[in-house]
Amino acid sequence: HNSTRRRKIVSLEKFQNMNKKAFITGATSGIGRASAQIFADNKIDLIICGRRSERLALLEKELNKKVNIKSLCFDVSDRNETMDAINSLPDNWKPIDFLINNAGNAHGLSLSQDANLDDWEKMLDINVKGVMYVTKALLPFMLERGKGHIVNISSIAGKEVYLKGNAYCASKHALSAFSDGLRLDLNGTGIKVSSINPGAVNTEFSEVRFKGDKTKAENVYEGFEPLVAEDIAELIYFIVSRPAHVTISDSTILPTAQASASLIHRKNG
Ligand code: 8X3
């Protein structure tokens, strides 16, 4: 007989109203914000985190019509602030189903010999240590329940290095290694770990990288159709809505015009 086991296709609709909670860092802009929106549309309660309280308040107001929501204002790169913020959550909000470690950014794009050491330090503090602090604070509650899903937003810069990417690439390589390490350590606990590596996504990312220089930022996305935050949010939602026995461990998502970290096909370029 045929011993192949099969299952029904899980519709995304069925995932609604299951009393799930997601914790999203960097929720006030870009990929974090788009994720908060898609989660809210799918009735997943939210803990939205960010450094900017006005933006958090606006997002909370927008989404609290759809789901239960809490805001936490803190900087992931500050270890004490992070621990205090997470400890301040009411006990029933601490056991979360999904941790989306999205907060991260780039500071500067310069040759190593010209780069600013403060920029380098910030990238390591936010993109690597920030993820470690938040993960360490929330992991005990996942372990207690024997379930949970950690989704780390890395980058194509976590798989490849490019000219002037130095410390940013180092931070994302470290994050990718940390995700892989977590998956090994948590094997058998019921906790899933996923890593996502986006290529060029048109968010405030480049404006931050170029310290507010809008022209430089716009040039990054000139002559081709970049990804938008919603493209990544849909992938995040797809990954967290897989059945319990399925982990999408690592996925790279690029604009069709992009073939690698440093090859983008631009029109008239
Ligand atoms: C953002 C994508 O190519 O600028 O992580 O590193 S890239």
Side-chain angles (χ1 to χ4, degrees), residues 120-141:
W120 279 10
E121 208 160 10
K122 267 191 237 160
M123 291 190 275
L124 272 296
D125 285 349
I126 299 164
N127 302 352
V128 186
K129 287 157 81 179
V131 171
M132 291 175 173
Y133 299 153
V134 175
T135 302
K136 198 70 176 142
L138 288 164
L139 202 47
F141 305 102

Side-chain angles (χ1 to χ4, degrees), residues 154-157 162 168 172 198-201 205 209 258 261:
S154 184
S155 167
I156 186 71
Y162 50 85
Y168 179 72
K172 291 300 190 175
V201 189
F205 176 85
R209 168 174 265 174
Q258 182 171 20

Side-chain angles (χ1 to χ4, degrees), residues 157-212:
K159 313 216 83 160
E160 297 174 43
V161 288
Y162 50 85
L163 189 70
K164 302 181 181 177
N166 42 62
Y168 179 72
C169 297
S171 76
K172 291 300 190 175
H173 272 69
L175 177 55
S176 294
F178 183 60
S179 300
D180 289 342
L182 273 175
R183 195 177 310 105
L184 293 179
D185 296 345
L186 294 170
N187 182 239
T189 64
I191 300 168
K192 302 185 190 189
V193 180
S194 299
S195 174
I196 301 182
N197 317 300
V201 189
N202 193 354
T203 61
E204 288 163 50
F205 176 85
S206 289
E207 220 179 298
V208 174
R209 168 174 265 174
F210 297 118
K211 303 174 194 292

Side-chain angles (χ1 to χ4, degrees), residues 4-264:
T4 306
R5 294 180 52 202
R6 310 189 68 170
R7 65 173 182 80
K8 279 192 185 151
I9 299 293
V10 181
S11 108
L12 295 186
E13 303 301 315
K14 288 231 185 70
F15 200 60
Q16 301 202 348
N17 298 315
M18 286 172 69
N19 231 337
K20 303 268 188 195
K21 288 184 198 64
F23 187 108
I24 305 176
T25 67
T28 61
S29 59
I31 295 168
R33 191 190 157 88
S35 306
Q37 275 158 337
I38 197 168
F39 278 51
D41 287 340
N42 286 281
K43 303 281 179 278
I44 295 167
D45 289 335
L46 290 171
I47 302 155
I48 52 171
C49 309
R51 286 162 302 157
R52 296 167 288 199
S53 55
E54 320 79 50
R55 285 200 189 197
L56 272 176
L58 279 176
L59 186 62
E60 180 174 341
K61 210 174 145 201
E62 180 191 327
L63 300 181
N64 74 10
K65 297 172 198 102
K66 297 181 180 169
V67 290
N68 298 310
I69 185 161
K70 289 245 172 290
S71 296
L72 288 182
C73 190
F74 68 97
D75 180 346
V76 295
S77 70
D78 184 315
R79 178 170 161 175
N80 291 330
E81 250 187 50
T82 301
M83 297 302 167
D84 290 349
I86 293 172
N87 285 332
S88 78
L89 280 172
D91 282 345
N92 61 320
W93 280 85
K94 287 175 182 162
I96 53 152
D97 297 281
F98 312 122
L99 166 57
I100 314 301
N101 278 316
N102 164 75
N105 45 35
H107 295 283
L109 184 70
S110 309
L111 297 173
S112 296
Q113 51 274 40
D114 303 327
N116 178 316
L117 194 54
D118 291 334
D119 284 345
W120 279 10
E121 208 160 10
K122 267 191 237 160
M123 291 190 275
L124 272 296
D125 285 349
I126 299 164
N127 302 352
V128 186
K129 287 157 81 179
V131 171
M132 291 175 173
Y133 299 153
V134 175
T135 302
K136 198 70 176 142
L138 288 164
L139 202 47
F141 305 102
M142 290 186 173
L143 287 165
E144 222 167 77
R145 299 168 79 209
K147 61 177 180 178
H149 195 159
I150 301 166
V151 180
N152 292 336
I153 311 303
S154 184
S155 167
I156 186 71
K159 313 216 83 160
E160 297 174 43
V161 288
Y162 50 85
L163 189 70
K164 302 181 181 177
N166 42 62
Y168 179 72
C169 297
S171 76
K172 291 300 190 175
H173 272 69
L175 177 55
S176 294
F178 183 60
S179 300
D180 289 342
L182 273 175
R183 195 177 310 105
L184 293 179
D185 296 345
L186 294 170
N187 182 239
T189 64
I191 300 168
K192 302 185 190 189
V193 180
S194 299
S195 174
I196 301 182
N197 317 300
V201 189
N202 193 354
T203 61
E204 288 163 50
F205 176 85
S206 289
E207 220 179 298
V208 174
R209 168 174 265 174
F210 297 118
K211 303 174 194 292
D213 186 329
K214 285 199 166 52
T215 312
K216 268 192 185 170
E218 279 163 14
N219 285 341
V220 173
Y221 310 109
E222 259 322 292
F224 74 104
E225 188 173 351
L227 298 172
V228 291
E230 287 71 20
D231 295 320
I232 316 303
E234 282 177 350
L235 176 59
I236 295 171
Y237 186 71
F238 180 80
I239 286 172
V240 301
S241 59
R242 293 311 82 213
H245 71 288
V246 179
T247 293
I248 298 180
S249 56
D250 192 55
S251 44
T252 299
I253 173 168
L254 303 173
T256 304
Q258 182 171 20
S260 75
S262 38
L263 184 64
I264 296 181

